[in-house]
Amino acid sequence: METMALLEKEMVENLLPQKFPFVMVDAMHSYTETSLVSGLKIQQDNIFLKNDIFLEAGLIEHMAQSVALHTGYQYFLRNETAPTGYIGSIKEIEIKNLPKLNDNIQSEVTILQEFAGITLVNIVTTLNNEEIANGQMKTVLAK
């Protein structure tokens, strides 16, 4: 799944409601109306890094922000300001392995359902083309 970035860190950060030090996505590798592949290089200043290990909370936040990036990019393409979104629910998250300092992770978001500002997604996160986490999330846009 490793690919070149379609959007780099600065543009990605402009599409996310989160700001440093809470940004957990630094690249967008691909985008369609129903999918997105995001990336993150685990840096020394990451707030979810402990003893050079990227914690579970950081991995889940990376997954959630990948969904937010999809929404933000949709609105960007329409020349509109993206509303803030929230995690409505997390279902069946499985974390198989935790990345380490300087690792590059990628998450593939697949939109399963979208209705009235509520989006159900499936997310698979990989490290070196090996799945390290997966799950489903439901996000809700603020009105």
Side-chain angles (χ1 to χ4, degrees):
M1 190 190 318
E2 288 191 37
T3 55
M4 294 292 293
L6 183 62
L7 293 181
E8 296 289 345
K9 185 176 181 166
E10 186 177 315
M11 180 64 175
V12 167
E13 287 182 4
N14 288 333
L15 296 173
L16 292 172
Q18 293 83 5
K19 300 301 172 215
F20 181 83
F22 208 69
V23 176
M24 296 300 133
V25 176
D26 63 11
M28 184 174 81
H29 298 285
S30 69
Y31 169 88
T32 71
E33 280 191 27
T34 58
S35 69
L36 174 130
V37 176
S38 67
L40 175 67
K41 180 172 183 175
I42 313 300
Q43 304 279 351
Q44 185 68 51
D45 61 355
N46 192 294
I47 61 173
F48 290 112
L49 191 68
K50 184 174 182 179
N51 299 324
D52 290 344
I53 303 292
F54 191 54
L55 302 175
E56 291 89 344
L59 201 51
I60 292 169
E61 186 61 31
H62 165 73
M63 295 165 92
Q65 288 186 25
S66 298
V67 179
L69 179 59
H70 186 273
T71 302
Y73 194 64
Q74 277 182 325
Y75 278 81
F76 169 78
L77 291 174
R78 296 193 304 247
N79 242 357
E80 296 174 16
T81 303
T84 301
Y86 302 94
I87 298 172
S89 68
I90 298 174
K91 180 180 174 186
E92 300 173 14
I93 293 286
E94 178 185 18
I95 297 176
K96 301 175 181 181
N97 198 1
L98 294 173
K100 296 172 180 57
L101 178 64
N102 294 320
D103 281 346
N104 285 294
I105 59 174
Q106 291 190 357
S107 284
E108 183 172 2
V109 174
T110 304
I111 308 296
L112 301 175
Q113 221 171 27
E114 208 166 14
F115 180 74
I118 299 171
T119 305
L120 176 64
V121 301
N122 190 64
I123 307 167
V124 175
T125 302
T126 60
L127 171 62
N128 299 323
N129 296 316
E130 185 175 319
E131 184 177 309
I132 61 168
N134 66 71
Q136 287 188 355
M137 284 186 187
K138 194 176 288 185
T139 60
V140 181
L141 295 180
K143 299 287 178 187

